[in-house]
């Protein structure tokens, strides 16, 4: 039997059922593996609103537990962070002692700029060690960081500055892509110019490839500031105080600030490293993601360091830096035990090297398993990875809102049978149910809304930043007593979950959740556009791509090709290249219900060639024929035969 075919699930069931029956005992025991400045008064306070809270009354510092605790325990000389940057041909290593000292010094820089416990620090950085240092330095001071992915345009950055109101912004002069340099500083300056809340200071890391001009009085040079800074000690905060805010796309186009607490987050991170990924102190763990996304927060920075692992930070791509063997080179060179990345990365590698010729050039005997998440992993990609690697390939499912896996195959507990297309079974603390529209639980095999019964386990968001009401409306109001995941799917007869689609209009482009509503706002701002819709269409490489359909205003004179090029450029400018927005069709009208709702879901099914039914509430069925023809013009909706 192959090692990933799994066992009888007895050990998993025992642990999972205990976590639901006795959450206080289960998570209270898990929390004892960390160091607390002050013990909690209650493991779980079920009376708090809008949701129950974990480790109430406890005081904690996440940075202390990620760095200082390991140095004190004798791991100071072990590598904590390895930075590998093929785009700059650079490599750097930090031991736990070195990383602690760098973090303490940068925390001193922030403190010298007036940053105190509870303030916000916004981080807009490429994949460089200084991004990790800035995150941990913020945690060290008891401040709240908000990392914004460097691929976002000035407008997206501005909305996050306005909402988080940071006292200081930490950024870099540029990001470096395989074929271009992205200047961050002009984007940052443009964003700050457009918002009412102005940061007091910006700390800028000058990268030699493209140094940035500085604004006197506001901008501070990273290297100069750290050279003279006094190191800062860890500041204890309440376990329920925020560690960070991470913005995720909302269906309105206005981002939602997911709040992560300090205590519960650290407990769940450490538990997941041991029990899901099966790694321990001293192991090498590599999450090939970006610190701008939740995977980067959880599994480049906090999870591995809390567990005493060595974490790898990679500034490069799965292909093209320099070839499809890039990932295999990193794994072999450093002795990576577990790789965690998105299915998109493996689809790209598979496309460039279908026979695995580059993989065969490297010794991957150090590697224990591959974990995939970020979007649904198609069975073909999972099968290819299994065949080429000869190791367990684990699809798992989670969200920015949860911070760690809702469903997974827990290698540290026992290896369960792999079912391609399923992320396996719910993890401890997640009481997952499938409900119909009326809130009734559905039997095995029937698709419905995936929800989680309260209380959510540690690390899951307790609210949205300064917006309890939106949190309640977005996640709790639909089914009282349950958290609405926004995903649709079913549970099979073995208890495995199958995640089939999003139930809102957020699409998943290469693991990046992007709001179609935000793209529609951009398209609608063009003077020739009367109305528009953006749908997600299936893509073999990226999972989904956005496709725009626009109705022109009467009298619009521009040729279709010119207009479409302008619209693509507009989305790229305002949302950023990360949106991968490249396809637009001009149509005479959009299909709507009689109440005026645009039928995006139906159009997406037509585009993908999937089975669909005529909506009962459609205003004019003939419009769908027109849409089908427009989609065929872009190469979608089948051949028409």
């Amino acid at each position: 039997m192959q090692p990933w075919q799994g066992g009888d699930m007895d050990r998993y069931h025992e642990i999972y059922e205990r976590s639901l029956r006795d959450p206080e005992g289960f998570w209270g025991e898990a929390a004892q593996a960390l160091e607390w400045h002050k013990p909690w008064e209650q493991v779980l306070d079920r009376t708090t609103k809008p949701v129950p809270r974990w480790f109430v009354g406890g005081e904690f510092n996440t940075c202390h537990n990620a760095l200082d605790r390991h140095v004190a325990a004798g791991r100071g000389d072990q590598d904590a962070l390895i930075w590998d940057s093929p785009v700059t041909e650079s490599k750097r290593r930090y031991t736990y002692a070195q990383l602690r000292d760098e973090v303490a010094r940068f925390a001193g820089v922030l403190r010298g700029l007036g940053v105190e416990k509870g303030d916000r620090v916004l981080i807009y950085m490429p994949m460089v060690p200084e991004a990790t240092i800035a995150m941990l330095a913020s945690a060290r001071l008891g401040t709240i960081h908000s990392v914004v992915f460097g691929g976002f345009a000035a407008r997206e950055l501005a909305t996050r500055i306005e909402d988080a109101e940071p006292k200081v912004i930490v950024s870099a002069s540029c990001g470096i892509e395989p074929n271009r340099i992205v200047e961050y500083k002009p984007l940052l300056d443009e964003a700050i110019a457009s918002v009412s809340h102005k940061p007091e200071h910006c700390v800028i890391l000058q990268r030699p490839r493209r140094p940035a001009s500085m604004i006197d009085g506001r901008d501070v040079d990273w290297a100069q500031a750290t050279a003279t800074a006094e190191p800062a000690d860890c500041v204890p905060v309440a376990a329920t105080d925020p560690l960070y805010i991470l913005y995720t796309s909302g269906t309105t186009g206005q981002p939602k600030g997911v709040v992560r607490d300090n205590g519960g987050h650290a407990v769940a991170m450490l538990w997941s490293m041991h029990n899901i990924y099966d790694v321990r102190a001293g192991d090498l763990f590599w999450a090939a993601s970006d610190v701008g996304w939740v995977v980067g927060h959880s599994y480049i920075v906090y999870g591995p360091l809390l567990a005493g692992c060595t974490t790898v930070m990679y500034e490069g791509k799965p292909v093209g830096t320099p070839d499809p063997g890039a990932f295999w080179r990193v794994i072999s060179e450093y002795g990576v035990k577990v790789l965690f990345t998105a299915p998109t990365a493996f689809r790209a590698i598979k496309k460039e090297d279908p026979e695995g010729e580059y993989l065969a050039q490297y010794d991957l005997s150090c590697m224990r398993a591959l974990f995939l998440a970020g979007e649904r992993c198609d069975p073909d990609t999972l099968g290819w990875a299994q065949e080429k690697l000869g190791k367990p390939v684990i699809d798992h499912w989670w969200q920015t809102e949860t911070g760690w896996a809702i469903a997974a195959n827990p290698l540290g507990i026992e290896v369960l049978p792999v079912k391609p297309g399923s992320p396996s079974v719910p993890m401890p603390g997640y009481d997952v149910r499938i409900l119909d529209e009326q809130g009734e639980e559905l039997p095995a095999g029937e698709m419905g809304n995936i929800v989680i019964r309260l209380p959510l386990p540690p690390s899951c968001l307790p609210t949205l930043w300064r917006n309890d009401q939106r949190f309640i409306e977005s996640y709790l109001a639909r089914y009282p007593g349950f958290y609405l995941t926004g995903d649709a799917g079913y549970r099979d007869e073995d208890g495995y979950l199958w995640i089939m689609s999003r139930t809102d209009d957020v699409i998943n482009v290469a693991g990046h959740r992007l709001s179609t509503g935000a793209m529609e706002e951009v398209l609608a701002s063009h003077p020739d556009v009367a109305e528009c819709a953006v749908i997600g269409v299936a893509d073999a490489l990226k999972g989904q791509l956005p496709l725009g359909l626009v109705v022109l205003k009467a009298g619009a004179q521009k040729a279709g090709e010119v207009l479409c090029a302008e619209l693509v450029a507009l989305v790229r400018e305002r949302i950023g290249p990360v949106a991968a927005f490249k396809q637009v069709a001009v149509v005479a009208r959009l299909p709507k219900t009689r109440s005026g709702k645009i039928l995006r879901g139906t159009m997406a099914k037509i585009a993908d060639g999937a089975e669909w039914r005529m909506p009962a509430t459609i205003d004019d069925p003939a419009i769908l024929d027109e849409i089908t023809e427009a989609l065929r013009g872009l190469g979608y909706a089948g051949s028409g035969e």
Side-chain angles (χ1 to χ4, degrees):
M1 184 173 75
Q2 294 287 4
W4 54 81
Q5 288 180 285
D8 56 17
M9 301 175 69
D10 286 350
R11 178 73 177 138
Y12 156 75
H13 281 305
E14 176 188 336
I15 291 172
Y16 177 69
E17 286 163 10
R18 190 210 161 189
S19 77
L20 300 189
R21 185 178 66 249
D22 178 23
E24 288 91 344
F26 185 92
W27 293 111
E29 287 176 16
Q32 291 173 17
L34 295 160
E35 291 182 359
W36 294 76
H37 181 75
K38 176 187 170 188
W40 54 87
E41 295 164 9
Q42 286 179 280
V43 174
L44 177 63
D45 184 347
R46 296 175 182 266
T47 67
T48 55
K49 301 295 182 184
V51 292
R53 300 300 301 271
W54 292 95
F55 307 108
V56 172
E59 290 187 1
F60 190 85
N61 185 276
T62 298
C63 181
H64 169 83
N65 277 276
L67 298 176
D68 304 63
R69 177 170 64 98
H70 299 305
V71 176
R75 308 193 75 84
D77 292 336
Q78 178 201 310
D79 282 338
L81 174 67
I82 296 173
W83 178 58
D84 189 293
S85 173
V87 296
T88 62
E89 299 181 344
S90 305
K91 299 174 184 179
R92 210 184 301 166
R93 291 175 181 257
Y94 296 81
T95 65
Y96 268 94
Q98 289 169 337
L99 188 59
R100 179 205 56 188
D101 293 347
E102 291 283 344
V103 167
R105 198 157 27 246
F106 191 68
V109 171
L110 293 176
R111 187 176 59 188
L113 296 175
V115 173
E116 299 175 351
K117 176 177 171 179
D119 287 336
R120 272 78 62 208
V121 173
L122 188 140
I123 300 168
Y124 184 62
M125 299 279 277
M127 284 292 286
V128 292
E130 289 83 358
T132 295
I133 289 167
M135 292 168 70
L136 289 162
S138 173
R140 192 174 191 85
L141 293 179
T143 60
I144 305 163
H145 65 68
S146 185
V147 182
V148 178
F149 175 69
F152 278 129
R155 182 182 177 190
E156 295 293 316
L157 176 58
T159 63
R160 289 150 174 79
I161 294 172
E162 200 76 273
D163 195 63
E165 297 184 336
K167 183 174 279 189
V168 169
I169 295 178
V170 183
S171 189
S173 59
C174 66
I176 299 168
E177 298 289 329
N179 302 312
R180 65 191 180 105
I181 292 177
V182 181
E183 294 192 48
Y184 284 17
K185 186 58 164 45
L187 295 170
L188 175 62
D189 291 341
E190 182 185 341
I192 293 172
S194 71
V195 297
S196 59
H197 173 84
K198 309 293 185 186
E200 294 179 9
H201 295 284
C202 296
V203 182
I204 306 298
L205 174 72
Q206 294 282 19
R207 304 193 78 185
R209 297 284 182 93
R210 192 69 55 87
S213 59
M214 305 284 271
I215 295 175
D216 287 343
R218 188 197 75 183
D219 294 346
V220 176
D221 181 273
W222 176 296
Q224 293 175 6
T226 53
T228 57
E230 286 293 321
D233 290 331
C234 294
V235 176
V237 297
T240 51
D241 280 348
L243 169 66
Y244 68 77
I245 306 162
L246 183 57
Y247 288 93
T248 184
S249 295
T251 55
T252 63
Q254 179 63 29
K256 296 183 290 192
V258 169
V259 173
R260 191 84 63 222
D261 65 9
N262 273 271
H265 169 256
V267 172
M269 287 300 99
L270 182 56
W271 188 93
S272 70
M273 293 298 294
H274 292 167
N275 293 282
I276 296 177
Y277 303 103
D278 192 25
V279 291
R280 298 291 190 280
D283 287 337
L284 272 89
F285 185 90
W286 178 25
S289 180
D290 190 286
V291 291
W293 308 123
V294 70
V295 172
H297 284 59
S298 293
Y299 295 113
I300 295 175
V301 181
Y302 292 112
L305 296 178
L306 287 164
C309 297
T310 302
T311 186
V312 177
M313 190 177 196
Y314 177 73
E315 189 182 28
K317 304 292 182 184
V319 298
T321 56
D323 54 47
F327 276 18
W328 319 132
R329 190 267 303 171
V330 171
I331 292 167
S332 175
E333 183 171 334
Y334 301 119
V336 172
K337 182 177 180 181
V338 171
L339 169 64
F340 175 178
T341 191
T344 300
F346 265 71
R347 285 195 285 265
I349 295 168
K350 178 185 173 186
K351 181 185 176 198
E352 296 294 321
D353 184 24
E355 301 307 315
E357 294 173 4
Y358 282 88
L359 188 152
Q361 298 172 21
Y362 296 94
D363 177 7
L364 303 185
S365 58
C366 59
M367 187 180 178
R368 158 83 165 119
L370 166 67
F371 280 81
L372 299 171
E375 76 249 75
R376 185 171 180 267
C377 181
D378 58 284
D380 284 349
T381 298
L382 187 139
W384 183 84
Q386 267 187 354
E387 177 196 341
K388 299 303 179 189
L389 291 170
K391 303 174 189 295
V393 178
I394 308 301
D395 183 17
H396 59 328
W397 167 60
W398 48 297
Q399 302 178 324
T400 299
E401 290 86 346
T402 65
W404 65 292
I406 303 169
N409 194 325
L411 295 195
I413 295 174
E414 63 177 326
V415 184
L416 306 182
V418 169
K419 295 189 180 187
S422 167
S424 299
V425 293
M427 288 296 92
Y430 290 103
D431 188 352
V432 179
R433 309 292 179 95
I434 314 295
L435 303 183
D436 66 14
E437 294 300 310
Q438 289 71 45
E440 296 296 321
E441 193 157 358
L442 291 167
E446 286 198 27
M447 185 140 128
N449 294 297
I450 305 176
V451 301
I452 303 166
R453 188 177 181 183
L454 300 180
L456 296 171
S459 177
C460 294
L461 81 169
T463 190
L464 297 173
W465 177 246
R466 291 178 170 170
N467 204 335
D468 283 357
Q469 189 55 40
R470 189 177 182 197
F471 172 64
I472 292 166
E473 291 170 358
S474 298
Y475 302 103
L476 306 179
R478 176 79 178 277
Y479 300 109
F482 294 89
Y483 164 86
L484 181 68
T485 67
D487 283 290
Y490 64 93
R491 189 198 299 265
D492 70 16
E493 63 281 355
D494 297 322
Y496 278 57
L497 292 173
W498 298 78
I499 317 303
M500 306 312 295
S501 66
R502 291 293 298 167
T503 55
D504 57 17
D505 291 320
V506 175
I507 64 171
N508 198 319
V509 180
H512 306 153
R513 285 182 62 200
L514 298 168
S515 168
T516 56
M519 293 182 222
E520 289 173 3
E521 287 180 11
V522 175
L523 297 181
S525 71
H526 191 284
D528 287 352
V529 173
E531 61 177 342
C532 62
V534 174
I535 59 173
V537 295
D539 180 75
L541 181 62
K542 293 181 180 286
Q544 280 185 300
L545 286 174
L547 183 151
L549 298 160
V550 299
V551 178
L552 302 186
K553 292 178 179 175
Q557 298 295 321
K558 281 184 180 166
E561 297 86 350
V562 174
L563 177 68
C564 291
E566 289 182 4
L567 292 171
V568 169
L570 201 59
V571 173
R572 184 181 182 87
E573 173 196 337
R574 295 198 189 166
I575 294 180
V578 69
F581 185 88
K582 298 176 182 176
Q583 303 177 97
V584 191
V586 176
V587 296
R589 50 192 182 152
L590 294 170
K592 299 177 182 177
T593 64
R594 285 185 288 274
S595 64
K597 182 180 178 183
I598 296 172
L599 294 165
R600 294 176 181 81
T602 303
M603 289 192 290
K605 288 178 181 176
I606 292 171
D608 292 344
E611 184 178 340
W612 60 279
R613 294 179 181 177
M614 183 67 67
T617 57
I618 192 168
D619 187 39
D620 183 353
I623 300 177
L624 290 177
D625 293 332
E626 300 166 14
I627 295 296
T628 300
E629 287 306 309
L631 291 169
R632 284 178 181 155
L634 293 174
Y636 293 95
S639 64
E641 298 176 1

